[in-house]
Amino acid sequence: MQPSVLIIYTGGTIGMVQRPEDGSLAPVNFDELSKEIPLLQKFGYHIASITFDPVLDSSNMTPEVWVKIARTIQENYAQYDGFVVLHGTDTMAYSASALSFMLDNLDKPVVFTGSQLPIGQLRTDGKENLLTSVEIAAARKNGRPLVPEVCIYFDSKLYRGNRTSKIDSQHFRAFDSANYPALAVAGVDIDYAEEFITYPVSQGILRLNTELCTDVVLLKIFPGIKPSIVKAILEIDQLKGVVLESYGSGNVPNFEWFSKLISAATQKGIIIVNISQCSGGHVKMGLYETSVALQNADVVSGYDMTSEAAITKLMYLLGQGLSQSELVNYMTQNLKGEITN
Ligand code: ASP
């Protein structure tokens, strides 16, 4: 039987055209987009598409739209072998991370892609990104999908979605996954690194987690950060979780005021997750004197997670009504391949 792929078009540069009034780029619908890619038909697959209304510049992405993407996948799950989500690059890593936590028992590919240049432009990177993503979404070996994960395909590389960050706004290599190898590399052939792909062991039915708590904040430390600012952030009404972007291997200023504010926050029950501002490597609290106070304040190690994975994992876990110890436990555990442990 011919493979079937559903393309879910949420927006992004890939489907944008220049607005005559001011020359800025704005998204158009999939019918206009697909005129640019008649080659898709040559695969011989059954390909269908759904266009979101409205189509978004992904800077306007929200958890509500993540739920819409997840529901669209669920409603069409039985009919398709794989899914391609066309999405703006700006927040693609957040969306792919969020979806990895929201979809349980996933056993089919969900490939996010987009482009740096609109598909209508001659030098676009969008055609290759889309065509290869469709091929990956349809790829099977020994009767099972080759990549049953939420991933991002961009500029010849397939990455695990929750290991990826946008690293470039100018070049075609817009994404990288510093702490996890690529799941596939597309050249003349598409070479799948099966040893790095997670294959489901037991196959229950696809389940959605749509409760996400957004009472969270990302706090990036910098030399000169003021006590009043840290205090204002940590004392935000209803705040439940903080992703603390520390230096290097998890270090922060060990000024007394800073340690006190962090301890006061964790004592109030706010979960603070320590991740590094470095894209590669991992947090090791206690290695330097400048992270001991965090350890003593029960700050949780985010180890080698990306910011995007840490904040969306926190939203997901806080939405599950867990006890404090379960929350801490799950935060440090590998749930969807987002953390090494
Ligand atoms: N602003 C665009 C977006 O994220 C950028 C892109 O698609 O590359 O929707």
Side-chain angles (χ1 to χ4, degrees):
M1 222 174 55
Q2 54 169 190
S4 55
V5 175
L6 180 65
I7 299 175
I8 302 168
Y9 172 46
T10 70
T13 297
I14 191 160
M16 290 190 186
V17 290
Q18 253 173 352
R19 298 193 308 170
E21 58 269 35
D22 61 2
S24 67
L25 290 167
V28 295
N29 67 32
F30 190 79
D31 291 340
E32 284 179 61
L33 184 75
S34 57
K35 280 188 213 136
E36 302 291 341
I37 30 172
L39 287 173
L40 269 178
Q41 303 314 323
K42 291 204 172 181
F43 276 125
Y45 303 159
H46 168 61
I47 297 175
S49 65
I50 288 177
T51 300
F52 276 14
D53 182 16
V55 275
L56 295 176
D57 182 307
S58 79
S59 302
N60 292 324
M61 189 49 59
T62 59
E64 288 72 34
V65 183
W66 294 338
V67 172
K68 195 168 151 188
I69 300 173
R71 288 205 200 288
T72 307
I73 292 171
Q74 187 187 40
E75 282 158 15
N76 293 281
Y77 202 66
Q79 291 95 280
Y80 294 91
D81 296 311
F83 301 84
V84 171
V85 182
L86 295 181
H87 193 290
T89 57
D90 288 346
T91 60
M92 192 186 291
Y94 289 92
S95 297
S97 298
L99 264 289
S100 75
F101 300 118
M102 292 166 74
L103 301 173
D104 275 341
N105 297 327
L106 183 72
D107 59 4
K108 295 184 177 182
V110 174
V111 186
F112 279 73
T113 197
S115 65
Q116 295 282 55
L117 277 178
I119 210 151
Q121 292 193 10
L122 269 184
R123 281 197 319 107
T124 186
D125 50 333
K127 285 187 187 163
E128 195 280 323
N129 284 348
L130 175 56
L131 291 170
T132 308
S133 296
V134 168
E135 189 166 339
I136 291 170
R140 296 176 81 83
K141 188 176 166 185
N142 302 330
R144 66 173 189 182
L146 258 165
V147 195
E149 292 205 31
V150 178
C151 29
I152 290 182
Y153 178 77
F154 221 89
D155 191 37
S156 80
K157 285 195 171 176
L158 182 74
Y159 307 98
R160 175 169 295 157
N162 58 29
R163 288 291 195 155
T164 309
S165 298
K166 182 171 179 182
I167 49 137
D168 204 310
S169 60
Q170 182 69 23
H171 296 108
F172 288 158
R173 177 63 43 89
F175 290 90
D176 192 23
S177 161
N179 284 331
Y180 200 76
L183 304 182
V185 179
V188 174
D189 297 313
I190 302 177
D191 287 326
Y192 292 91
E194 287 173 58
E195 65 277 32
F196 298 122
I197 300 171
T198 302
Y199 293 96
V201 242
S202 67
Q203 292 184 349
I205 57 164
L206 183 76
R207 214 175 61 84
L208 302 194
N209 302 303
T210 54
E211 293 303 318
L212 299 167
C213 170
T214 52
D215 295 318
V216 292
V217 74
L218 261 168
L219 171 55
K220 181 169 182 165
I221 301 303
F222 57 91
I225 193 166
K226 287 170 81 171
S228 56
I229 293 193
V230 177
K231 183 170 185 317
I233 292 173
L234 295 178
E235 290 180 0
I236 291 170
D237 194 31
Q238 301 294 318
L239 184 68
K240 297 196 175 58
V242 179
V243 173
L244 177 69
E245 283 199 18
S246 59
Y247 306 126
S249 51
N251 309 313
V252 291
N254 58 354
F255 307 143
E256 203 188 338
W257 65 263
F258 189 85
S259 310
K260 276 192 173 154
L261 286 172
I262 294 284
S263 296
T266 53
Q267 271 162 29
K268 271 201 304 191
I270 295 172
I271 173 165
I272 303 185
V273 184
N274 185 5
I275 62 156
S276 175
Q277 292 176 17
C278 301
S279 49
H282 59 262
V283 161
K284 194 167 182 199
M285 285 191 285
L287 180 65
Y288 289 90
E289 195 189 358
T290 43
S291 62
V292 170
L294 296 180
Q295 223 174 8
N296 293 340
D298 293 329
V299 167
V300 175
S301 173
Y303 200 64
D304 63 350
M305 273 190 289
T306 62
S307 270
E308 294 88 339
I311 195 84
T312 53
K313 186 174 181 180
L314 201 50
M315 286 183 192
Y316 154 66
L317 289 176
L318 285 167
Q320 307 309 304
L322 304 169
S323 69
Q324 193 69 8
S325 63
E326 285 171 325
L327 194 58
V328 169
N329 191 18
Y330 286 126
M331 198 67 212
T332 52
Q333 265 181 42
N334 174 20
L335 302 182
K336 299 292 171 73
E338 74 285 357
I339 191 169
T340 308
N341 63 16

